[in-house]
Every structure is written in structure tokens, then in C-alpha cells.
Amino acid sequence: MPHGKVTWQIDRNVNTTNVCIANCKFCNFYRIPGHAEAYITDMETYKAKIEETIKYGGDQLLLQGGHHPELGLSFYVHLFKELKSLYPNIKLHTLGPPEIAHITKLSTGPHGEKSTHREVLMALQEAGMDSLPGAGAEILTDRVRRLISKGKCGAQEWLDIMHEAHKLNITTSATMMFGHVETPAGTL
Ligand code: SF4
């Protein structure tokens, strides 16, 4: 609690898509590509949810979703730009290091060269991403990650993405999910 100040944020969780190929052991949210319950949220749904959020005093979306195998950087750039043009005062607290890693893997430059985390973060920031949630940290050791969320980026890549975000002055958070297969030492 810096400077003895307590603050709060009224926001709403909205999911971009439930399609995911990461296959985390603890997740009952995702659906595999082609599943009958798979969805990609449409603009009418975003509008209804954002307008309800504003009505109740909210000013931020926590916007996340699965690792969709076909939704790359251009999809998110287009989405963020559209949301910001419709609702310029809504903050987009969006994606997370594992999604940035996934989008980076799907992205290439104009001559087919591989994109970097920094390039992806810069494009998303330019499109309207205000901050990066510290999602998917679980426990930042690869032993734990291999056991429960093998399809997500490893511990070092999670940290590298956060490092790049901080260099771009993107504010971030961090979440730890515990009470599963971790040990007190974390790395054992
Ligand atoms: S990355 Fe893991 S936790 Fe997130 S939607 Fe996919 S399976 Fe679920």
C-alpha cells in the first residue's frame, strides 16, 4: 500500500474466446477448436457488457481468453481499436503473458520473419491496451508449469514478457495460483 493510500477499480471480466489449445489441467472454461460450445465474442456482446459496466460505475474491462490457434495479432489490434473508438474512457486491462507468448508465436513480420514480444506488445499498446494482467503465472517454476499448464509459456518467458512490458511503461500485475502441486520451496 504505497503512501498509505487504498484504491479500487470497478471492472468486468469479459472473455474474447473460449477456444484454447493450451489444455491446462485445472481449466473447465476452454473448449477445443470446433467444439459445439466454442465461441468468439461478437461486438454486440461487448457493447452490451460494456454499457452495463459503465452503468454500474465501472471503467475497465479485464479482457482475456483462450489460446485460439487462429487469432493472432491483427485480430487483437482490430478488436482493441474498435473498443477504444466506441468507448474511449474504458481501460483495457487485457491478455496476459501466456497470451502474448501465443500471439507472438503466431505472428510474423512483412517478410515472414518471426515477431518479438516487444513488437507484439508495442502493437497492442498502440491499439489500446492500457495494462497487462499478470495472468497465467500459476507458480513460476517450470516443474509446476509442466505438470498443470504445459501449453502455456515457461517461467522465464513469462518474466521476459513482463520485463518488456515494463520497458514500454505498461503497468502490470501478477497472480499466483497455489494449493495444487507446488512445494514450499517452489522448485522441488
Ligand atoms: S490457457 Fe489454460 S487456463 Fe487459459 S483458457 Fe486455455 S486451458 Fe484454460
Side-chain angles (χ1 to χ4, degrees):
M1 189 170 50
H3 316 300
K5 262 196 197 164
V6 177
T7 62
W8 70 88
Q9 184 87 41
I10 302 175
D11 73 359
R12 180 168 193 175
N13 285 20
V14 181
N15 298 117
T16 49
T17 176
N18 66 346
V19 175
C20 192
I21 51 172
N23 198 19
C24 300
K25 288 269 170 37
F26 52 83
C27 180
N28 64 5
F29 162 75
Y30 81 92
R31 296 292 181 269
I32 57 169
H35 191 283
E37 292 166 3
Y39 68 81
I40 297 173
T41 300
D42 60 30
M43 194 45 63
E44 288 315 302
T45 305
Y46 284 119
K47 283 185 190 167
K49 292 191 173 192
I50 292 171
E51 276 157 33
E52 266 176 17
T53 307
I54 293 169
K55 187 170 134 199
Y56 288 105
D59 63 358
Q60 176 171 279
L61 288 196
L62 173 61
L63 189 60
Q64 298 174 322
H67 295 191
H68 192 302
E70 283 160 26
L71 300 187
L73 184 58
S74 59
F75 170 84
Y76 292 98
V77 163
H78 183 259
L79 173 64
F80 295 176
K81 281 188 176 165
E82 194 161 358
L83 292 175
K84 281 288 188 176
S85 76
L86 290 168
Y87 304 99
N89 296 326
I90 280 283
K91 293 188 189 71
L92 298 179
H93 186 46
T94 182
L95 305 172
E99 285 170 276
I100 300 295
H102 173 70
I103 293 166
T104 303
K105 235 184 252 166
L106 295 180
S107 302
T108 48
H111 308 295
E113 68 278 16
K114 282 173 106 56
S115 297
T116 63
H117 298 142
R118 184 179 177 83
E119 287 163 350
V120 167
L121 285 166
M122 282 171 69
L124 294 169
Q125 186 181 32
E126 166 84 21
M129 181 175 77
D130 291 295
S131 53
L132 179 66
E138 336 297 19
I139 299 289
L140 283 175
T141 74
D142 285 332
R143 181 195 73 87
V144 169
R145 301 178 78 74
R146 272 195 298 271
L147 287 171
I148 65 171
S149 52
K150 208 172 166 184
K152 279 180 179 157
C153 62
Q156 190 56 54
E157 190 172 9
W158 194 99
L159 292 167
D160 290 345
I161 290 166
M162 283 304 195
H163 191 208
E164 285 303 335
H166 295 163
K167 287 199 282 187
L168 294 168
N169 288 325
I170 297 171
T171 50
T172 66
S173 56
T175 52
M176 178 167 69
M177 191 184 71
F178 59 95
H180 38 79
V181 300
E182 84 281 7
T183 64
T187 54
L188 298 175

